[in-house]
Amino acid sequence: MDSLRNTHVKLLAFDFLNLRPYAGDQNSCFRKGKRLSRAETLGIVVTREFKSNKFLKFTIDDGTGCITCILWLNHFNSPYFSRRNPSDVRQIAQVATNFASDVQLGVLARVRGRLTNYRGAIQITVSDVVVERDPNMQILHWLDCIALARKCYDK
Amino acid sequence: MATSAVKHGELVTLEELNPSSPHFTQGASLRVTGKLQEYNVDTAVALIVDGNASLKIDTQHLKVNLRMGSLYQFIGEMLIQPPNEAILKARVGRNVDGMDLNLYHQSLQLLKEFQADQMIERTH
């Protein structure tokens, strides 16, 4: 039941939107009886809401649905980071800032992160972002998701 | 099932977009792909083609450099004017030169079959 728990599971958006929250842990979800905590998506950035030093909230449209992603940018005012080494925090903040500037409307972005439940909806709390230059990556992502679902995730 | 505030652009080919298609409806959110054949600077209306099919795209809200002969993908909403003239009001557009259109069309079929299988499985 937990074999996929720490894997970035490649999911199509329509599949992602059918995940069910896991009672008792808001950072886990169920997909067909298997517990997941991380996911990877790839699609076009169709919305972008930027709050300086707070977050970047954006939407990925992969052609089968839309996934909400949240990239935190609050490293210098979050109590969580105040306990960590300041130079590490600066580096983490710089990486997040770079991701935020990469995420622009219309780009093809590959996003990995944790599944989190916000106001009853499941979203991705972003760990990393790669902007894909090759438009064929969207096709390969669809085929990867189909093959993985059939041969691995659904088994 | 969770819902998103933004409607996704349903994947359609230009050849599928005829007046009898279920996607040929007012306000339908679509993602279309085609080669830029015409562009009117005054109206910002582009014409994209794929095989024998074509579609007008309203690009006035986009910041995309358009080049004749290049391949583009647009996401937006259908606007249908009588009798049956369609134009896609694009909210997102991007250049997809280098994309393998044959592979794209074949993959769309596989993707739709997979979605249909998953939906059937969920209802049983």
Side-chain angles (χ1 to χ4, degrees):
Chain A
M1 182 180 100
D2 276 356
S3 59
L4 296 172
R5 189 164 167 202
N6 293 314
T7 303
H8 284 101
V9 177
K10 291 188 181 194
L11 290 178
L12 292 164
F14 84 95
D15 208 349
F16 183 97
L17 297 171
N18 276 296
L19 293 176
R20 285 186 300 109
Y22 179 82
D25 179 2
Q26 64 166 17
N27 296 323
S28 293
C29 297
F30 267 126
R31 179 188 180 276
K32 297 186 180 178
K34 287 189 178 158
R35 192 171 170 187
L36 313 180
S37 65
R38 294 179 169 90
E40 177 176 325
T41 181
L42 188 150
I44 300 176
V45 176
V46 291
T47 69
R48 186 179 192 279
E49 180 190 350
F50 177 72
K51 298 265 188 206
S52 184
N53 297 320
K54 289 183 180 168
F55 61 80
L56 172 71
K57 188 176 176 183
F58 58 100
T59 310
I60 295 284
D61 179 341
D62 74 354
T64 72
C66 284
I67 296 179
T68 303
C69 303
I70 181 101
L71 170 64
W72 289 107
L73 301 168
N74 61 346
H75 304 86
F76 298 117
N77 46 30
S78 152
Y80 174 76
F81 285 101
S82 65
R83 296 190 296 271
R84 298 184 62 172
N85 181 325
S87 77
D88 290 348
V89 174
R90 273 196 300 277
Q91 279 190 10
I92 294 166
Q94 187 56 54
V95 169
T97 304
N98 293 345
F99 288 154
S101 66
D102 287 345
V103 174
Q104 297 296 334
L105 286 182
V107 303
L108 184 65
R110 184 185 299 277
V111 178
R112 285 178 155 200
R114 289 183 295 108
L115 298 171
T116 47
N117 191 338
Y118 179 67
R119 293 184 176 168
I122 295 161
Q123 59 182 18
I124 294 180
T125 296
V126 178
S127 310
D128 57 273
V129 178
V130 174
V131 170
E132 297 287 359
R133 309 284 169 201
D134 183 348
N136 291 297
M137 286 301 169
Q138 177 75 90
I139 303 170
L140 296 178
H141 178 73
W142 293 336
L143 299 178
D144 267 350
C145 289
I146 295 170
L148 284 165
R150 288 197 168 133
K151 294 178 181 162
C152 177
Y153 305 155
D154 288 357
K155 294 282 180 193
Chain B
M1 177 173 156
T3 52
S4 172
V6 189
K7 274 170 76 183
H8 73 278
E10 197 69 46
L11 298 158
V12 289
T13 63
L14 297 188
E15 296 206 334
E16 286 172 328
L17 260 187
N18 52 62
S20 58
S21 154
H23 302 298
F24 200 93
T25 50
Q26 197 72 263
S29 296
L30 304 177
R31 184 195 296 201
V32 294
T33 308
K35 194 175 273 190
L36 183 68
Q37 193 173 68
E38 288 173 23
Y39 180 67
N40 183 322
V41 181
D42 298 323
T43 60
V45 172
L47 183 77
I48 59 166
V49 295
D50 181 11
N52 294 321
S54 63
L55 181 69
K56 282 185 180 174
I57 312 286
D58 179 349
T59 67
Q60 65 175 313
H61 298 301
L62 304 185
K63 291 178 191 161
V64 180
N65 290 324
L66 297 172
R67 254 194 331 265
M68 290 299 159
S70 277
L71 200 57
Y72 291 91
Q73 200 157 62
F74 297 99
I75 299 176
E77 280 62 46
M78 282 286 271
L79 193 66
I80 298 166
Q81 291 152 338
N84 259 332
E85 205 195 350
I87 184 164
L88 187 88
K89 225 171 160 46
R91 50 186 157 88
V92 173
R94 66 189 191 110
N95 181 296
V96 288
D97 279 337
M99 189 167 83
D100 184 333
L101 265 184
N102 283 332
L103 181 64
Y104 179 75
H105 290 148
Q106 287 175 43
S107 303
L108 276 190
Q109 280 307 114
L110 288 174
L111 186 63
K112 286 175 183 176
E113 285 167 24
F114 175 70
Q115 274 189 272
D117 289 349
Q118 294 280 311
M119 292 303 178
I120 290 168
E121 206 180 293
R122 285 197 171 101
T123 54
H124 285 87

PDB file of all heavy atoms in Angstrom, chain A residues 79-107:
ATOM      1  N   PRO A  79       8.728  31.023  10.516  1.00  0.00           N
ATOM      2  CA  PRO A  79       9.329  30.461  11.740  1.00  0.00           C
ATOM      3  C   PRO A  79      10.050  29.144  11.459  1.00  0.00           C
ATOM      4  O   PRO A  79      11.055  28.832  12.092  1.00  0.00           O
ATOM      5  CB  PRO A  79       8.116  30.221  12.658  1.00  0.00           C
ATOM      6  CG  PRO A  79       6.970  30.928  12.044  1.00  0.00           C
ATOM      7  CD  PRO A  79       7.281  31.187  10.617  1.00  0.00           C
ATOM      8  N   TYR A  80       9.597  28.395  10.462  1.00  0.00           N
ATOM      9  CA  TYR A  80      10.212  27.110  10.135  1.00  0.00           C
ATOM     10  C   TYR A  80      11.676  27.297   9.746  1.00  0.00           C
ATOM     11  O   TYR A  80      12.558  26.558  10.169  1.00  0.00           O
ATOM     12  CB  TYR A  80       9.435  26.448   8.982  1.00  0.00           C
ATOM     13  CG  TYR A  80      10.062  25.187   8.464  1.00  0.00           C
ATOM     14  CD1 TYR A  80       9.979  23.987   9.171  1.00  0.00           C
ATOM     15  CD2 TYR A  80      10.770  25.191   7.258  1.00  0.00           C
ATOM     16  CE1 TYR A  80      10.576  22.831   8.686  1.00  0.00           C
ATOM     17  CE2 TYR A  80      11.362  24.038   6.765  1.00  0.00           C
ATOM     18  CZ  TYR A  80      11.265  22.865   7.484  1.00  0.00           C
ATOM     19  OH  TYR A  80      11.862  21.727   7.007  1.00  0.00           O
ATOM     20  N   PHE A  81      11.942  28.352   8.943  1.00  0.00           N
ATOM     21  CA  PHE A  81      13.312  28.572   8.463  1.00  0.00           C
ATOM     22  C   PHE A  81      14.175  29.341   9.468  1.00  0.00           C
ATOM     23  O   PHE A  81      15.389  29.340   9.350  1.00  0.00           O
ATOM     24  CB  PHE A  81      13.290  29.296   7.115  1.00  0.00           C
ATOM     25  CG  PHE A  81      12.894  28.390   5.990  1.00  0.00           C
ATOM     26  CD1 PHE A  81      11.612  28.416   5.479  1.00  0.00           C
ATOM     27  CD2 PHE A  81      13.799  27.474   5.462  1.00  0.00           C
ATOM     28  CE1 PHE A  81      11.236  27.563   4.446  1.00  0.00           C
ATOM     29  CE2 PHE A  81      13.438  26.620   4.438  1.00  0.00           C
ATOM     30  CZ  PHE A  81      12.149  26.659   3.931  1.00  0.00           C
ATOM     31  N   SER A  82      13.536  29.998  10.458  1.00  0.00           N
ATOM     32  CA  SER A  82      14.318  30.785  11.423  1.00  0.00           C
ATOM     33  C   SER A  82      15.213  29.886  12.281  1.00  0.00           C
ATOM     34  O   SER A  82      16.188  30.343  12.864  1.00  0.00           O
ATOM     35  CB  SER A  82      13.379  31.606  12.306  1.00  0.00           C
ATOM     36  OG  SER A  82      12.592  30.732  13.092  1.00  0.00           O
ATOM     37  N   ARG A  83      14.880  28.590  12.354  1.00  0.00           N
ATOM     38  CA  ARG A  83      15.691  27.661  13.160  1.00  0.00           C
ATOM     39  C   ARG A  83      16.856  27.082  12.371  1.00  0.00           C
ATOM     40  O   ARG A  83      17.665  26.358  12.905  1.00  0.00           O
ATOM     41  CB  ARG A  83      14.796  26.513  13.658  1.00  0.00           C
ATOM     42  CG  ARG A  83      13.690  26.949  14.589  1.00  0.00           C
ATOM     43  CD  ARG A  83      13.011  25.752  15.222  1.00  0.00           C
ATOM     44  NE  ARG A  83      12.332  24.912  14.244  1.00  0.00           N
ATOM     45  CZ  ARG A  83      11.061  25.088  13.860  1.00  0.00           C
ATOM     46  NH1 ARG A  83      10.353  26.074  14.379  1.00  0.00           N
ATOM     47  NH2 ARG A  83      10.517  24.299  12.969  1.00  0.00           N
ATOM     48  N   ARG A  84      16.930  27.416  11.064  1.00  0.00           N
ATOM     49  CA  ARG A  84      17.962  26.799  10.232  1.00  0.00           C
ATOM     50  C   ARG A  84      19.126  27.751   9.987  1.00  0.00           C
ATOM     51  O   ARG A  84      19.043  28.953  10.212  1.00  0.00           O
ATOM     52  CB  ARG A  84      17.353  26.323   8.913  1.00  0.00           C
ATOM     53  CG  ARG A  84      16.304  25.259   9.166  1.00  0.00           C
ATOM     54  CD  ARG A  84      15.736  24.694   7.908  1.00  0.00           C
ATOM     55  NE  ARG A  84      16.718  24.024   7.064  1.00  0.00           N
ATOM     56  CZ  ARG A  84      16.393  23.326   5.988  1.00  0.00           C
ATOM     57  NH1 ARG A  84      15.137  23.193   5.629  1.00  0.00           N
ATOM     58  NH2 ARG A  84      17.318  22.754   5.245  1.00  0.00           N
ATOM     59  N   ASN A  85      20.224  27.169   9.505  1.00  0.00           N
ATOM     60  CA  ASN A  85      21.429  27.942   9.228  1.00  0.00           C
ATOM     61  C   ASN A  85      21.122  29.048   8.199  1.00  0.00           C
ATOM     62  O   ASN A  85      20.641  28.753   7.107  1.00  0.00           O
ATOM     63  CB  ASN A  85      22.470  26.963   8.663  1.00  0.00           C
ATOM     64  CG  ASN A  85      23.784  27.634   8.345  1.00  0.00           C
ATOM     65  OD1 ASN A  85      23.808  28.785   7.925  1.00  0.00           O
ATOM     66  ND2 ASN A  85      24.858  26.906   8.565  1.00  0.00           N
ATOM     67  N   PRO A  86      21.424  30.340   8.541  1.00  0.00           N
ATOM     68  CA  PRO A  86      21.059  31.448   7.644  1.00  0.00           C
ATOM     69  C   PRO A  86      21.629  31.314   6.237  1.00  0.00           C
ATOM     70  O   PRO A  86      20.973  31.688   5.262  1.00  0.00           O
ATOM     71  CB  PRO A  86      21.622  32.684   8.354  1.00  0.00           C
ATOM     72  CG  PRO A  86      21.724  32.280   9.775  1.00  0.00           C
ATOM     73  CD  PRO A  86      21.998  30.811   9.801  1.00  0.00           C
ATOM     74  N   SER A  87      22.845  30.768   6.103  1.00  0.00           N
ATOM     75  CA  SER A  87      23.391  30.681   4.738  1.00  0.00           C
ATOM     76  C   SER A  87      22.647  29.610   3.921  1.00  0.00           C
ATOM     77  O   SER A  87      22.455  29.766   2.714  1.00  0.00           O
ATOM     78  CB  SER A  87      24.900  30.431   4.761  1.00  0.00           C
ATOM     79  OG  SER A  87      25.160  29.100   5.054  1.00  0.00           O
ATOM     80  N   ASP A  88      22.216  28.549   4.609  1.00  0.00           N
ATOM     81  CA  ASP A  88      21.395  27.527   3.917  1.00  0.00           C
ATOM     82  C   ASP A  88      20.065  28.142   3.468  1.00  0.00           C
ATOM     83  O   ASP A  88      19.604  27.916   2.353  1.00  0.00           O
ATOM     84  CB  ASP A  88      21.079  26.336   4.843  1.00  0.00           C
ATOM     85  CG  ASP A  88      22.301  25.506   5.144  1.00  0.00           C
ATOM     86  OD1 ASP A  88      23.335  25.713   4.473  1.00  0.00           O
ATOM     87  OD2 ASP A  88      22.227  24.651   6.059  1.00  0.00           O
ATOM     88  N   VAL A  89      19.496  28.944   4.372  1.00  0.00           N
ATOM     89  CA  VAL A  89      18.197  29.556   4.063  1.00  0.00           C
ATOM     90  C   VAL A  89      18.327  30.493   2.862  1.00  0.00           C
ATOM     91  O   VAL A  89      17.481  30.505   1.967  1.00  0.00           O
ATOM     92  CB  VAL A  89      17.626  30.304   5.291  1.00  0.00           C
ATOM     93  CG1 VAL A  89      16.347  31.056   4.943  1.00  0.00           C
ATOM     94  CG2 VAL A  89      17.376  29.338   6.436  1.00  0.00           C
ATOM     95  N   ARG A  90      19.449  31.256   2.836  1.00  0.00           N
ATOM     96  CA  ARG A  90      19.672  32.171   1.693  1.00  0.00           C
ATOM     97  C   ARG A  90      19.745  31.389   0.381  1.00  0.00           C
ATOM     98  O   ARG A  90      19.189  31.787  -0.632  1.00  0.00           O
ATOM     99  CB  ARG A  90      20.960  32.985   1.910  1.00  0.00           C
ATOM    100  CG  ARG A  90      20.741  34.265   2.705  1.00  0.00           C
ATOM    101  CD  ARG A  90      21.927  35.235   2.560  1.00  0.00           C
ATOM    102  NE  ARG A  90      23.173  34.651   3.044  1.00  0.00           N
ATOM    103  CZ  ARG A  90      23.536  34.638   4.337  1.00  0.00           C
ATOM    104  NH1 ARG A  90      22.755  35.168   5.255  1.00  0.00           N
ATOM    105  NH2 ARG A  90      24.682  34.110   4.699  1.00  0.00           N
ATOM    106  N   GLN A  91      20.444  30.248   0.437  1.00  0.00           N
ATOM    107  CA  GLN A  91      20.567  29.433  -0.790  1.00  0.00           C
ATOM    108  C   GLN A  91      19.213  28.864  -1.226  1.00  0.00           C
ATOM    109  O   GLN A  91      18.866  28.899  -2.407  1.00  0.00           O
ATOM    110  CB  GLN A  91      21.535  28.271  -0.552  1.00  0.00           C
ATOM    111  CG  GLN A  91      22.989  28.684  -0.664  1.00  0.00           C
ATOM    112  CD  GLN A  91      23.931  27.496  -0.680  1.00  0.00           C
ATOM    113  OE1 GLN A  91      23.488  26.351  -0.795  1.00  0.00           O
ATOM    114  NE2 GLN A  91      25.202  27.747  -0.542  1.00  0.00           N
ATOM    115  N   ILE A  92      18.474  28.369  -0.250  1.00  0.00           N
ATOM    116  CA  ILE A  92      17.149  27.796  -0.554  1.00  0.00           C
ATOM    117  C   ILE A  92      16.243  28.891  -1.140  1.00  0.00           C
ATOM    118  O   ILE A  92      15.542  28.682  -2.133  1.00  0.00           O
ATOM    119  CB  ILE A  92      16.515  27.173   0.716  1.00  0.00           C
ATOM    120  CG1 ILE A  92      17.326  25.972   1.181  1.00  0.00           C
ATOM    121  CG2 ILE A  92      15.068  26.756   0.461  1.00  0.00           C
ATOM    122  CD1 ILE A  92      16.986  25.498   2.596  1.00  0.00           C
ATOM    123  N   ALA A  93      16.322  30.087  -0.526  1.00  0.00           N
ATOM    124  CA  ALA A  93      15.493  31.201  -0.998  1.00  0.00           C
ATOM    125  C   ALA A  93      15.884  31.607  -2.410  1.00  0.00           C
ATOM    126  O   ALA A  93      15.014  31.901  -3.245  1.00  0.00           O
ATOM    127  CB  ALA A  93      15.641  32.394  -0.049  1.00  0.00           C
ATOM    128  N   GLN A  94      17.186  31.587  -2.706  1.00  0.00           N
ATOM    129  CA  GLN A  94      17.647  31.970  -4.048  1.00  0.00           C
ATOM    130  C   GLN A  94      17.143  30.985  -5.101  1.00  0.00           C
ATOM    131  O   GLN A  94      16.697  31.377  -6.184  1.00  0.00           O
ATOM    132  CB  GLN A  94      19.189  32.023  -4.065  1.00  0.00           C
ATOM    133  CG  GLN A  94      19.772  32.576  -5.359  1.00  0.00           C
ATOM    134  CD  GLN A  94      19.240  33.966  -5.686  1.00  0.00           C
ATOM    135  OE1 GLN A  94      19.305  34.878  -4.877  1.00  0.00           O
ATOM    136  NE2 GLN A  94      18.659  34.123  -6.887  1.00  0.00           N
ATOM    137  N   VAL A  95      17.196  29.689  -4.756  1.00  0.00           N
ATOM    138  CA  VAL A  95      16.708  28.664  -5.692  1.00  0.00           C
ATOM    139  C   VAL A  95      15.222  28.878  -5.963  1.00  0.00           C
ATOM    140  O   VAL A  95      14.770  28.855  -7.120  1.00  0.00           O
ATOM    141  CB  VAL A  95      16.978  27.242  -5.135  1.00  0.00           C
ATOM    142  CG1 VAL A  95      16.257  26.190  -5.955  1.00  0.00           C
ATOM    143  CG2 VAL A  95      18.466  26.955  -5.096  1.00  0.00           C
ATOM    144  N   ALA A  96      14.460  29.134  -4.893  1.00  0.00           N
ATOM    145  CA  ALA A  96      13.011  29.340  -5.051  1.00  0.00           C
ATOM    146  C   ALA A  96      12.736  30.584  -5.898  1.00  0.00           C
ATOM    147  O   ALA A  96      11.836  30.586  -6.744  1.00  0.00           O
ATOM    148  CB  ALA A  96      12.352  29.461  -3.683  1.00  0.00           C
ATOM    149  N   THR A  97      13.518  31.646  -5.682  1.00  0.00           N
ATOM    150  CA  THR A  97      13.345  32.879  -6.465  1.00  0.00           C
ATOM    151  C   THR A  97      13.617  32.611  -7.950  1.00  0.00           C
ATOM    152  O   THR A  97      12.912  33.113  -8.833  1.00  0.00           O
ATOM    153  CB  THR A  97      14.297  33.985  -5.938  1.00  0.00           C
ATOM    154  OG1 THR A  97      14.033  34.150  -4.553  1.00  0.00           O
ATOM    155  CG2 THR A  97      14.083  35.306  -6.646  1.00  0.00           C
ATOM    156  N   ASN A  98      14.652  31.786  -8.210  1.00  0.00           N
ATOM    157  CA  ASN A  98      14.962  31.446  -9.602  1.00  0.00           C
ATOM    158  C   ASN A  98      13.811  30.653 -10.239  1.00  0.00           C
ATOM    159  O   ASN A  98      13.433  30.904 -11.384  1.00  0.00           O
ATOM    160  CB  ASN A  98      16.250  30.624  -9.694  1.00  0.00           C
ATOM    161  CG  ASN A  98      17.471  31.438  -9.298  1.00  0.00           C
ATOM    162  OD1 ASN A  98      17.410  32.659  -9.219  1.00  0.00           O
ATOM    163  ND2 ASN A  98      18.571  30.762  -9.022  1.00  0.00           N
ATOM    164  N   PHE A  99      13.249  29.712  -9.476  1.00  0.00           N
ATOM    165  CA  PHE A  99      12.104  28.948  -9.988  1.00  0.00           C
ATOM    166  C   PHE A  99      10.958  29.912 -10.328  1.00  0.00           C
ATOM    167  O   PHE A  99      10.317  29.794 -11.368  1.00  0.00           O
ATOM    168  CB  PHE A  99      11.594  27.926  -8.961  1.00  0.00           C
ATOM    169  CG  PHE A  99      12.499  26.740  -8.744  1.00  0.00           C
ATOM    170  CD1 PHE A  99      12.468  26.047  -7.536  1.00  0.00           C
ATOM    171  CD2 PHE A  99      13.356  26.287  -9.740  1.00  0.00           C
ATOM    172  CE1 PHE A  99      13.281  24.943  -7.328  1.00  0.00           C
ATOM    173  CE2 PHE A  99      14.170  25.178  -9.528  1.00  0.00           C
ATOM    174  CZ  PHE A  99      14.138  24.514  -8.321  1.00  0.00           C
ATOM    175  N   ALA A 100      10.722  30.856  -9.413  1.00  0.00           N
ATOM    176  CA  ALA A 100       9.597  31.782  -9.597  1.00  0.00           C
ATOM    177  C   ALA A 100       9.770  32.613 -10.862  1.00  0.00           C
ATOM    178  O   ALA A 100       8.799  32.886 -11.569  1.00  0.00           O
ATOM    179  CB  ALA A 100       9.460  32.692  -8.375  1.00  0.00           C
ATOM    180  N   SER A 101      11.029  33.005 -11.158  1.00  0.00           N
ATOM    181  CA  SER A 101      11.202  33.806 -12.373  1.00  0.00           C
ATOM    182  C   SER A 101      11.106  32.940 -13.627  1.00  0.00           C
ATOM    183  O   SER A 101      10.767  33.436 -14.703  1.00  0.00           O
ATOM    184  CB  SER A 101      12.499  34.613 -12.332  1.00  0.00           C
ATOM    185  OG  SER A 101      13.574  33.742 -12.344  1.00  0.00           O
ATOM    186  N   ASP A 102      11.373  31.633 -13.500  1.00  0.00           N
ATOM    187  CA  ASP A 102      11.219  30.722 -14.655  1.00  0.00           C
ATOM    188  C   ASP A 102       9.754  30.484 -14.999  1.00  0.00           C
ATOM    189  O   ASP A 102       9.409  30.250 -16.150  1.00  0.00           O
ATOM    190  CB  ASP A 102      11.837  29.348 -14.344  1.00  0.00           C
ATOM    191  CG  ASP A 102      13.358  29.373 -14.343  1.00  0.00           C
ATOM    192  OD1 ASP A 102      13.924  30.350 -14.858  1.00  0.00           O
ATOM    193  OD2 ASP A 102      13.963  28.418 -13.822  1.00  0.00           O
ATOM    194  N   VAL A 103       8.906  30.512 -13.973  1.00  0.00           N
ATOM    195  CA  VAL A 103       7.487  30.173 -14.187  1.00  0.00           C
ATOM    196  C   VAL A 103       6.761  31.396 -14.746  1.00  0.00           C
ATOM    197  O   VAL A 103       6.397  32.304 -14.012  1.00  0.00           O
ATOM    198  CB  VAL A 103       6.838  29.692 -12.859  1.00  0.00           C
ATOM    199  CG1 VAL A 103       5.336  29.483 -13.042  1.00  0.00           C
ATOM    200  CG2 VAL A 103       7.488  28.409 -12.377  1.00  0.00           C
ATOM    201  N   GLN A 104       6.606  31.440 -16.048  1.00  0.00           N
ATOM    202  CA  GLN A 104       5.911  32.543 -16.725  1.00  0.00           C
ATOM    203  C   GLN A 104       4.748  31.965 -17.523  1.00  0.00           C
ATOM    204  O   GLN A 104       4.788  30.785 -17.917  1.00  0.00           O
ATOM    205  CB  GLN A 104       6.869  33.275 -17.669  1.00  0.00           C
ATOM    206  CG  GLN A 104       8.051  33.939 -16.961  1.00  0.00           C
ATOM    207  CD  GLN A 104       7.659  35.065 -16.009  1.00  0.00           C
ATOM    208  OE1 GLN A 104       6.621  35.703 -16.185  1.00  0.00           O
ATOM    209  NE2 GLN A 104       8.469  35.302 -14.986  1.00  0.00           N
ATOM    210  N   LEU A 105       3.744  32.778 -17.768  1.00  0.00           N
ATOM    211  CA  LEU A 105       2.583  32.314 -18.538  1.00  0.00           C
ATOM    212  C   LEU A 105       3.030  31.773 -19.896  1.00  0.00           C
ATOM    213  O   LEU A 105       3.838  32.403 -20.579  1.00  0.00           O
ATOM    214  CB  LEU A 105       1.601  33.463 -18.772  1.00  0.00           C
ATOM    215  CG  LEU A 105       0.757  33.912 -17.583  1.00  0.00           C
ATOM    216  CD1 LEU A 105      -0.178  35.022 -18.002  1.00  0.00           C
ATOM    217  CD2 LEU A 105      -0.013  32.746 -16.980  1.00  0.00           C
ATOM    218  N   GLY A 106       2.523  30.605 -20.239  1.00  0.00           N
ATOM    219  CA  GLY A 106       2.791  30.036 -21.563  1.00  0.00           C
ATOM    220  C   GLY A 106       3.977  29.099 -21.630  1.00  0.00           C
ATOM    221  O   GLY A 106       4.143  28.411 -22.626  1.00  0.00           O
ATOM    222  N   VAL A 107       4.819  29.049 -20.574  1.00  0.00           N
ATOM    223  CA  VAL A 107       5.965  28.126 -20.650  1.00  0.00           C
ATOM    224  C   VAL A 107       5.501  26.705 -20.326  1.00  0.00           C
ATOM    225  O   VAL A 107       4.476  26.497 -19.665  1.00  0.00           O
ATOM    226  CB  VAL A 107       7.145  28.528 -19.722  1.00  0.00           C
ATOM    227  CG1 VAL A 107       7.635  29.928 -20.030  1.00  0.00           C
ATOM    228  CG2 VAL A 107       6.795  28.368 -18.238  1.00  0.00           C
TER     229      VAL A 107
END
